[in-house]
Amino acid sequence: EPEVTQTPSHQVTQMGQEVILRCVPISNHLYFYWYRQILGQKVEFLVSFYNNEISEKSEIFDDQFSVERPDGSNFTLKIRSTKLEDSAMYFCASSEGQGAKPQHFGDGTRLSIL
Amino acid sequence: DAKTTQPPSMDCAEGRAANLPCNHSTISGNEYVYWYRQIHSQGPQYIIHGLKNNETNEMASLIITEDRKSSTLILPHATLRDTAVYYCITLWGGSNYKLTFGKGTLLTVNP
């Protein structure tokens, strides 16, 4: 069964450094998302992406964050200057279409900021 | 999207049916009911969704009341691997499809 894959599974970065989290969505999907989950807290929406542009973003998704679909298969989340509070699990998801089509999630990247 | 209410935790014996309730009394006519689960710290796993009719797939059944104000997720024969946090989420079909996760129900399947 097709799945969303994320790399790396664990990323350790010094505070202030840039980090890029990578995702390969399911191949025929058109909508892409990033969520995050701080340890012990709820899963939170960050951003949705469709037709090469951001559809919606949350308050968390400030100027330090950006997303890109550099080619036909990858979807990336960049954090420009990481802070300690960016430490979290980051989940990528993709869906075929609108609300009637489910989002499928990857297993996440654990980001640890030192 | 409508707010949902779920019990914080439930227990179930292995091999028995697990029935997980969810209240969504403010749901609107074009909002779907979605169920996801999260096993340990893995990514949320899609289980099932529905609009008005009851739905069944290889993982579970979804029973939605006629007034659509509540629903029940049924795992027909729970196994130890079904121990997870289960999330009931409503999602408008025409929205930008962001999922709003609550705290969910921690289902513990006991041997």
Side-chain angles (χ1 to χ4, degrees):
Chain A
E1 188 174 316
E3 56 183 30
V4 176
T5 56
Q6 292 186 241
T7 54
S9 56
H10 191 188
Q11 174 80 46
V12 181
T13 302
Q14 291 288 330
M15 185 172 59
Q17 295 296 305
E18 175 183 286
V19 67
I20 297 176
L21 309 182
R22 302 181 192 280
C23 169
V24 179
I26 295 173
S27 62
N28 64 332
H29 285 188
L30 301 175
Y31 296 80
F32 314 108
Y33 314 82
W34 284 100
Y35 293 79
R36 80 170 186 190
Q37 186 175 31
I38 295 170
L39 187 64
Q41 298 187 23
K42 300 176 192 178
V43 178
E44 301 173 287
F45 168 79
L46 291 178
V47 66
S48 59
F49 190 86
Y50 169 70
N51 200 26
N52 281 318
E53 57 183 32
I54 290 174
S55 307
E56 187 174 355
K57 58 183 180 179
S58 71
E59 291 178 355
I60 303 167
F61 195 89
D62 62 23
D63 292 344
Q64 295 299 313
F65 291 86
S66 62
V67 289
E68 193 178 29
R69 188 153 161 82
D71 52 42
S73 58
N74 290 285
F75 180 51
T76 61
L77 174 69
K78 182 194 289 187
I79 309 175
R80 218 175 324 274
S81 178
T82 50
K83 309 185 197 68
L84 293 176
E85 54 265 37
D86 293 328
S87 295
M89 284 290 291
Y90 287 81
F91 297 110
C92 173
S94 68
S95 67
E96 242 184 290
Q98 301 184 8
K101 300 291 186 182
Q103 294 177 32
H104 295 273
F105 286 75
D107 274 338
T109 293
R110 178 172 299 284
L111 179 62
S112 300
I113 308 299
L114 305 179
Chain B
D1 298 322
K3 180 177 168 54
T4 63
T5 304
Q6 300 178 252
S9 63
M10 293 182 65
D11 285 315
C12 177
E14 189 178 18
R16 304 298 293 267
N19 296 280
L20 291 92
C22 179
N23 284 320
H24 31 79
S25 58
T26 60
I27 195 169
S28 63
N30 56 1
E31 282 187 276
Y32 288 82
V33 179
Y34 272 84
W35 283 84
Y36 281 81
R37 72 181 182 183
Q38 191 173 24
I39 297 172
H40 206 233
S41 289
Q42 295 176 22
Q45 180 187 21
Y46 165 74
I47 301 172
I48 200 166
H49 74 287
L51 185 61
K52 296 180 183 176
N53 299 322
N54 298 336
E55 302 288 337
T56 295
N57 63 21
E58 65 278 3
M59 288 182 70
S61 295
L62 173 60
I63 309 298
I64 303 174
T65 57
E66 197 168 333
D67 63 9
R68 303 208 327 120
K69 294 187 177 191
S70 65
S71 60
T72 301
L73 178 75
I74 300 172
L75 307 178
H77 305 286
T79 70
L80 299 179
R81 286 179 295 180
D82 291 322
T83 293
V85 178
Y86 287 77
Y87 301 100
C88 167
I89 301 169
T90 60
L91 185 65
W92 180 40
S95 74
N96 277 317
Y97 338 126
K98 66 178 182 182
L99 293 166
T100 302
F101 288 82
K103 294 183 179 179
T105 296
L106 172 60
L107 175 70
T108 303
V109 181
N110 300 304

